[in-house]
Amino acid sequence: MKNLLYLILPLLIVSCIEEPPFEEPAENSSSLTDFSFDSFNFETSQMVALNITDYTKGAAKYRIHYLSGGESLSIGSFIKQSSGLSIEQLLPASVSELYVTKISADGTETFSMPVSGASANLTIQQTAAGSVANSSSDCIDHLYAVNNNGDFFTIDISNSSFTPTDLSQLQGGGSIANALDQANGIMYYNVGKTLYAYDIASSTFTVKHTNNPFNGNYPRLEYKDGYFYMSNKNIMHKVEAATNNLVASYTINGFINNSGGGDLAFDSNGELYLACFSGLYKFTSINDTNGTAEIVRISAENFPFQLTSMAIDRQDRIFVGTNDANSNLIQISKEDGAYQIVKTFNKKINDLTAWKCDTGSLNQQDSDNDGVIDELDDYPNDPTAAVDSYTPSELGMGTFAFEDLWPVKGDYDFNDMVIGYRYTNVLNSDNKSVRFKMSFTIRAVGAANHSGFGIELDVDPTLIASVSGHKTDGQNTTLNAKGLEAQQNKSVIIVFNDSFNHLKPAAGAKFINTDPSESSVAPFTVEVVVEFTNPIAPELLGEAPFNPFIFSSYERGKELHLAGKMPTSLADASLFGTASDDTNVNTGKTYQDSNNLPWAIHIIHEFRYPIEKNRIDQGYNKFVDWGLSSGALYKDWYGDNSGYRNTNKIYFNN
């Protein structure tokens, strides 16, 4: 997918030509070591007790997320217990509110859950509808798709095949905008100044209205509760569906880089989202009085494709289509804007809208008899597992970036070792962890030194049955019978001993994927699986991203961790306090210099790291301000907001 991403990057550039020419910000000419970052260790968190008291009947799944710096970050999914949910979770100390999406046979709802001190509480009352039992009908969730060639077809989204079914050609011509009134069985679409209505039951077309506020075509259309929401760029109109009367107009504020293309869609809780060329956005307010609508960007950066459409299904999955002759159907994470191409069609998609099965038609079958109906069960045929919880999200990856010369100062380009990660915690119906899966991708090695990579979990080693999937190759490390590193007091997992065993520099290249003038090398992924002797409470694993570290392939004791993280039992303590290191294990200051600069950083998104010999603050203009504010300002310093990046200093080739 990454290779495809950069092959289609020129399309993104073409799609943005309506914007003013971009000027690179002035490069930071001061030295990074001129700044003192006081006691900042680049990580802030607290343990919070989460308590959901749920008086509704029937099975349910909770998805929990929070907003941070304009991002929506997922904690994961959990199965409702008899009276709700009670767990402990480490969260950023700045989080003041959580959002709980409850999925059940009665539908999907999202609730606000305020964080007060070290606790967060939510009460869900019984609704009049109650739970629907023993339904076995075969309602199929699907999308209605239209394009400007007049094609009209559905896409089955009930399984991974995403089967298309052609319908009749659109009456009146091609369309770039459609919306669904599911209650009345009407799909609307726009052709120029004319709005057409397609009656799903009778398969007939009629003209609904013959004018609109844009006096012609517009790319975004959504329907909700008797109103159309029509939008183009930073303008949105609310129009009464029955009369075509203009109710309100809004100026949309909050776009980053580009407001072109895309679509609107409401989720199951009535929250409005917007996806366009520059990313996924969520509306935080819509003010009829002053005619403004505020949005925040969830994505970390522009999409690398021309997005033309969006629909949100019953499970709150976001689907978008691209403006290609052979359009891609793409699923986007609601949590962080990460995406995955799920299907390529032999025709164009200009807009999508979602048909959502009636809640009463959901099948209540529980194939594995674990107490979780198949509809809510990620493992419907495995009685030991029920749901997956992800960090940072199902589709996204976080990043660890290292300077490997510790304890000697490096060049601060943070590309000596760049590793992507995604954690998947497999939970049973009691929300206990039965296995823990870790995916690590070596993306760059901008160093001559040979380094291995490991991670330490807080879980007691006696609770681990086995570890598999690592690439130790018998060098420099010894594993015990379980697959953990031997002679360690904690659960230390060696993922690989030497990155050069798995990635080789391209012909004529000095390093791997750090110089854009050299050929790139395909990243290498390692999947590590931890099996537990018995299901354990997820909090026993510790706080994500846990304790990742690199170590010398020839001197096992030379470890480098994130700032504030503790060395393992095999670390060479004699290196602390030497050269530029200012570690004091007794006070909790580790792997930072006297100005608190780290040798390793963690980014919650996939990080565009600097080109070889370009300091991180020369590529990212807000990095220093973020550090000097102890993380209070510019939490999205790694994004592509205007003025944030000097793109000629950043690597984009993988």
Side-chain angles (χ1 to χ4, degrees):
M1 184 175 71
K2 292 178 183 175
N3 290 337
L4 175 63
L5 184 155
Y6 291 103
L7 285 173
I8 60 181
L9 182 59
L11 293 178
L12 174 63
I13 297 172
V14 172
S15 72
C16 299
I17 57 176
E18 63 192 44
E19 296 292 310
F22 177 74
E23 296 182 4
E24 292 280 358
E27 180 181 313
N28 188 347
S29 60
S30 60
S31 171
L32 191 57
T33 56
D34 291 342
F35 302 99
S36 175
F37 295 95
D38 297 324
S39 58
F40 186 42
N41 68 359
F42 301 85
E43 293 284 351
T44 303
S45 62
Q46 66 171 346
M47 185 68 78
V48 178
L50 311 183
N51 298 291
I52 300 175
T53 302
D54 192 341
Y55 292 104
T56 62
K57 298 178 181 179
K61 178 165 65 175
Y62 305 113
R63 287 203 305 255
I64 305 176
H65 71 278
Y66 61 87
L67 300 178
S68 178
E71 304 165 11
S72 178
L73 305 179
S74 174
I75 292 174
S77 295
F78 304 90
I79 295 297
K80 175 193 170 189
Q81 302 304 293
S82 59
S83 59
L85 180 69
S86 181
I87 61 171
E88 286 191 329
Q89 184 72 33
L90 278 157
L91 299 172
S94 59
V95 172
S96 60
E97 192 169 26
L98 298 170
Y99 299 91
V100 178
T101 299
K102 178 186 174 184
I103 308 166
S104 71
D106 291 324
T108 304
E109 297 178 274
T110 299
F111 303 90
S112 173
M113 187 175 182
V115 176
S116 178
S119 66
N121 300 286
L122 171 66
T123 299
I124 301 175
Q125 301 291 344
Q126 174 68 51
T127 60
S131 294
V132 180
N134 302 319
S135 176
S136 59
S137 63
D138 294 322
C139 178
I140 298 174
D141 290 313
H142 58 273
L143 307 176
Y144 285 101
V146 300
N147 65 32
N148 58 8
N149 297 321
D151 296 321
F152 181 29
F153 57 101
T154 63
I155 302 171
D156 182 348
I157 55 174
S158 64
N159 56 58
S160 59
S161 65
F162 299 100
T163 304
T165 300
D166 287 327
L167 303 173
S168 60
Q169 286 289 105
L170 296 173
Q171 180 177 308
S175 175
I176 63 171
N178 71 338
L180 181 67
D181 174 2
Q182 184 165 335
N184 294 303
I186 302 294
M187 190 209 72
Y188 297 99
Y189 63 96
N190 182 63
V191 181
K193 298 180 182 181
T194 304
L195 187 73
Y196 287 86
Y198 173 77
D199 187 287
I200 295 171
S202 63
S203 302
T204 57
F205 296 90
T206 58
V207 172
K208 180 67 174 178
H209 299 300
T210 56
N211 59 75
N212 63 64
F214 287 108
N215 197 33
N217 288 317
Y218 48 89
R220 306 173 191 145
L221 178 64
E222 179 65 313
Y223 174 91
K224 181 175 172 58
D225 299 335
Y227 296 96
F228 294 120
Y229 294 81
M230 305 171 178
S231 177
N232 187 17
K233 296 185 180 179
N234 69 330
I235 300 299
M236 182 172 70
H237 300 294
K238 183 178 180 181
V239 176
E240 189 173 35
T243 65
N244 205 34
N245 290 333
L246 179 63
V247 175
S249 296
Y250 312 93
T251 299
I252 305 173
N253 300 313
F255 283 107
I256 295 173
N257 301 335
N258 191 291
S259 61
D263 200 10
L264 300 167
F266 285 96
D267 70 3
S268 57
N269 197 47
E271 301 283 354
L272 184 59
Y273 287 79
L274 188 155
C276 65
F277 297 162
S278 63
L280 177 66
Y281 295 84
K282 179 180 180 180
F283 283 79
T284 57
S285 68
I286 300 177
N287 193 316
D288 288 350
T289 302
N290 61 18
T292 61
E294 304 297 327
I295 58 175
V296 296
R297 186 165 75 161
I298 295 172
S299 305
E301 57 186 17
N302 292 349
F303 287 130
F305 41 75
Q306 291 189 23
L307 184 153
T308 60
S309 53
M310 176 171 64
I312 302 179
D313 74 353
R314 175 176 47 80
Q315 301 177 58
D316 272 352
R317 296 180 299 175
I318 297 176
F319 291 97
V320 302
T322 61
N323 187 25
D324 305 299
N326 298 312
S327 283
N328 292 312
L329 181 68
I330 298 173
Q331 186 178 344
I332 297 179
S333 169
K334 191 176 176 182
E335 284 76 31
D336 62 0
Y339 59 88
Q340 175 179 311
I341 298 173
V342 297
K343 181 85 170 184
T344 301
F345 297 97
N346 62 357
K347 60 186 68 178
K348 182 186 292 187
I349 297 174
N350 281 110
D351 206 1
L352 295 167
T353 189
W355 175 278
K356 307 168 186 179
C357 290
D358 293 334
T359 57
S361 64
L362 299 182
N363 197 314
Q364 299 297 295
Q365 181 176 347
D366 179 9
S367 299
D368 55 14
N369 296 312
D370 64 352
V372 181
I373 62 173
D374 294 354
E375 177 69 24
L376 305 178
D377 200 332
D378 293 338
Y379 300 87
N381 297 309
D382 181 355
T384 69
V387 291
D388 287 330
S389 179
Y390 301 96
T391 302
S393 73
E394 180 179 4
L395 304 179
M397 293 194 86
T399 306
F400 304 124
F402 297 90
E403 282 285 299
D404 74 340
L405 291 182
W406 178 89
V408 177
K409 283 189 186 298
D411 53 12
Y412 293 109
D413 55 15
F414 285 98
N415 66 19
D416 295 345
M417 181 81 79
V418 181
I419 296 176
Y421 77 89
R422 181 189 297 116
Y423 303 135
T424 305
N425 200 359
V426 182
L427 307 178
N428 64 13
S429 58
D430 295 322
N431 293 318
K432 298 293 182 68
S433 180
V434 296
R435 73 185 62 93
F436 189 65
K437 298 187 289 187
M438 299 180 286
S439 178
F440 299 106
T441 299
I442 312 172
R443 295 175 54 209
V445 183
N449 292 334
H450 287 233
S451 296
F453 174 73
I455 189 162
E456 181 182 85
L457 305 177
D458 283 348
V459 64
D460 190 315
T462 63
L463 300 178
I464 292 178
S466 66
V467 180
S468 60
H470 33 32
K471 305 293 183 182
T472 52
D473 301 327
Q475 300 175 338
N476 198 29
T477 55
T478 303
L479 306 185
N480 63 23
K482 294 183 176 183
L484 296 168
E485 187 173 28
Q487 300 179 333
Q488 292 279 14
N489 293 331
K490 293 187 176 182
S491 296
V492 177
I493 297 168
I494 301 301
V495 179
F496 57 83
N497 290 88
D498 189 336
S499 62
F500 287 102
N501 288 341
H502 312 293
L503 288 183
K504 302 291 185 183
K510 184 178 180 181
F511 302 133
I512 302 169
N513 298 344
T514 61
D515 186 340
S517 68
E518 299 174 344
S519 297
S520 62
V521 177
F524 180 81
T525 297
V526 182
E527 301 278 356
V528 177
V529 179
V530 181
E531 298 280 355
F532 301 111
T533 55
N534 290 294
I536 67 170
E539 57 264 27
L540 294 180
L541 281 167
E543 174 189 1
F546 309 110
N547 190 1
F549 62 94
I550 61 172
F551 59 92
S552 168
S553 298
Y554 307 112
E555 302 174 60
R556 173 61 189 85
K558 188 177 181 182
E559 295 181 357
L560 171 58
H561 296 245
L562 296 171
K565 296 296 186 180
M566 291 294 113
T568 77
S569 302
L570 296 182
D572 183 355
S574 69
L575 295 173
F576 295 144
T578 64
S580 296
D581 179 65
D582 196 37
T583 290
N584 185 333
V585 174
N586 293 330
T587 64
K589 180 179 180 179
T590 60
Y591 301 100
Q592 291 174 278
D593 68 10
S594 58
N595 286 333
N596 271 9
L597 272 173
W599 277 265
I601 56 174
H602 163 237
I603 302 96
I604 197 67
H605 283 278
E606 189 167 316
F607 180 50
R608 311 284 187 195
Y609 51 85
I611 293 170
E612 189 64 35
K613 302 301 180 184
N614 286 272
R615 291 197 323 262
I616 191 169
D617 61 314
Q618 293 173 335
Y620 289 94
N621 297 304
K622 304 304 180 183
F623 178 81
V624 169
D625 294 327
W626 172 67
L628 291 176
S629 71
S630 295
L633 301 176
Y634 300 109
K635 295 178 181 180
D636 57 351
W637 60 269
Y638 47 81
D640 64 349
N641 306 30
S642 179
Y644 275 34
R645 291 176 170 179
N646 295 309
T647 55
N648 62 325
K649 305 290 185 182
I650 298 172
Y651 192 83
F652 286 93
N653 289 14
N654 70 340

